[in-house]
Amino acid sequence: MSRQTGHERGELALIRRLRDRLVPPRAAAGGVPFGDDMAELLPGAGEWLWTVDLLMDGVDFDSRRHEWRVIGRKAMAVNLSDCAAMGVQPVSALCAVCLSNRLSMDDAEALIAAADECGRRWNCPIVGGDTNSWDAPTVISITVAARPEADYQPIRRDGAQRGDRVWVSGKLGGSLLGRHLTFEPRVDLGITLARGLRPHAMIDISDGLALDLGRIMSASNVGVVLSESELAEVVHSDAERLALQDGQPASAHALHDGEDFELLIVLPPAVSETTARGLGLLPIGEVIAEPGLWQMGSHGDRTPIPLQGWEHFR
Amino acid sequence: MSRQTGHERGELALIRRLRDRLVPPRAAAGGVPFGDDMAELLPGAGEWLWTVDLLMDGVDFDSRRHEWRVIGRKAMAVNLSDCAAMGVQPVSALCAVCLSNRLSMDDAEALIAAADECGRRWNCPIVGGDTNSWDAPTVISITVAARPEADYQPIRRDGAQRGDRVWVSGKLGGSLLGRHLTFEPRVDLGITLARGLRPHAMIDISDGLALDLGRIMSASNVGVVLSESELAEVVHSDAERLALQDGQPASAHALHDGEDFELLIVLPPAVSETTARGLGLLPIGEVIAEPGLWQMGSHGDRTPIPLQGWEHFR
């Protein structure tokens, strides 16, 4: 961001300003920090967590091309993905909508029923909400509450340490070709990881690997070196297809495309590669003490990776 | 609604369809029923309640005329009013926004900071959220979690009984002249009533006295007779001012205008008029066994009151 303008803009800048303004020092001292995937419902209590995600027609989906039941499913799944990122069990949801007046009653019902159906697959039914209508495009906002199982804490972003290994739960990039609508939230994997392997940090990749890894780095005050050869192994075939269409490198799509909704996991070095691979995880790099995100080539050469990705309010 | 069209439309019809589709019979059997002011976070647990309200520019507020801090305050206050209606203590909030791209960073911050400030007055800070932007008008959606104090249950809509008296917490009508933005949510009164007087039913008047009273009647399977003379005592001076402008009777504004955000309270007959009036309540009528909403004149004559008010998605 340019120092010259004097007007910092963008979602991250707004969140920074709000964090400074909203959060009392007491609440920040213990528990889940402001800006993690989920917030503590009762700050400091370490019991219930909750999160909200809001999807907008024309931005997060396109009702001219996507079916309302697919849109409703996504609206729930993005929240379940936040639960996965903390390793907690979703419990119930609220659904608030502003429905475009052009929607039929059947479309409106399909939207909300599909969200509910998706939630129920992970034991998270819609229990209430707010229905509104207007002449502008449709908006759907879902809030989900969740809690950790009895024997562990939610996994935050701020525990990555030098020497930890960085893993992802699946291949990345090109989700715009369809996976951003049909992805499976990694709820069960998140709970398995939290309970069994105690990750030092975890996040779901919603705004791109580089940007979301940057969030872990920033919260943990560390840097990361990604391995060029390991990175090549996590490039999704959709990233390659998209690369053919737009001329960008497939690896850039894997690094910077949003809405993969895979988990990005930082594991202590004591966890064996066999164990991690046995859960379907793929290694991509290592945590270092110096800040910054780097890519290391086969000759040990390091090049910096920009922390860019999808950001609102620019 | 016309029987001829075959296509039932409107918010209430959509909620009916969703209720039939979403709610498992088990959840409906115990606890707070679907469609009350708040929902149980863990259905059947009788512990945490939560609610969501979503406000839209051009519908619930007008950013050309209203300041963003006033709008943010309202977005929080409507949720606190739902807590008041259940007699429960708000605890924390999430705030999701889609900000019009025309908003300045300062306006965006003022909107959310004002919501937080309003929440804090009732010990309900914003602890997280989701910030987005787009080219359409601004939407703000706030979710609030709350819980009853240790020694009582949340007050629902479905407990009104024949012989109960109906009360309101303040004068009604004409809120569009400004009170819909500046009202004080009746959180403390709601808790005092729930703890001290155990109302049989309670709701906040968001869509108009007649429509919201109809919700209590429908949930409780009873009717209500309003006293013409008592009703005259609860007509707000704003209703009279608005009546002068639009030629409607002031009493019609008191009966049908939305967004009063006063409490509508059904008290057992054992509660003395002195006690209720001592808390600032005003009597308006009595619960009867036969369904329907009626107005009784000074000669004992009854005329039906239509259950109309503000409804979305028509």
Side-chain angles (χ1 to χ4, degrees), chain A residues 16 52 62 85 153 159 167 207:
Chain A
R16 254 194 307 277
V52 61
D62 179 351
Q153 290 297 306
W167 302 79
D207 297 330

Side-chain angles (χ1 to χ4, degrees), chain B residues 63-78:
Chain B
S63 65
R64 293 168 306 180
R65 298 192 298 126
H66 309 138
E67 287 179 52
W68 288 106
R69 60 178 182 78
V70 173
I71 296 162
R73 183 191 178 283
K74 177 177 180 176
M76 178 62 75
V78 295

Side-chain angles (χ1 to χ4, degrees), chain B residues 25 29 49 60 74 108 137 139-140 146 152 158 164 177 183 195 198 249 253 257 265 289 310 314:
Chain B
L49 297 175
D60 303 289
K74 177 177 180 176
V139 172
I140 176 167
Y152 65 88
D158 60 353
D164 287 347
L177 293 182
F183 70 94
R195 178 183 281 149
R198 315 274 163 147
H253 283 295
D257 284 0
I265 309 127
W310 173 256
R314 284 218 154 266

Side-chain angles (χ1 to χ4, degrees), chain A residues 50-70:
Chain A
W50 59 345
T51 185
V52 61
D53 265 296
L54 181 153
L55 305 191
M56 300 160 288
D57 196 356
V59 179
D60 303 288
F61 61 87
D62 179 351
S63 65
R64 293 167 307 179
R65 298 192 298 126
H66 308 139
E67 287 178 52
W68 286 106
R69 58 179 184 78
V70 173

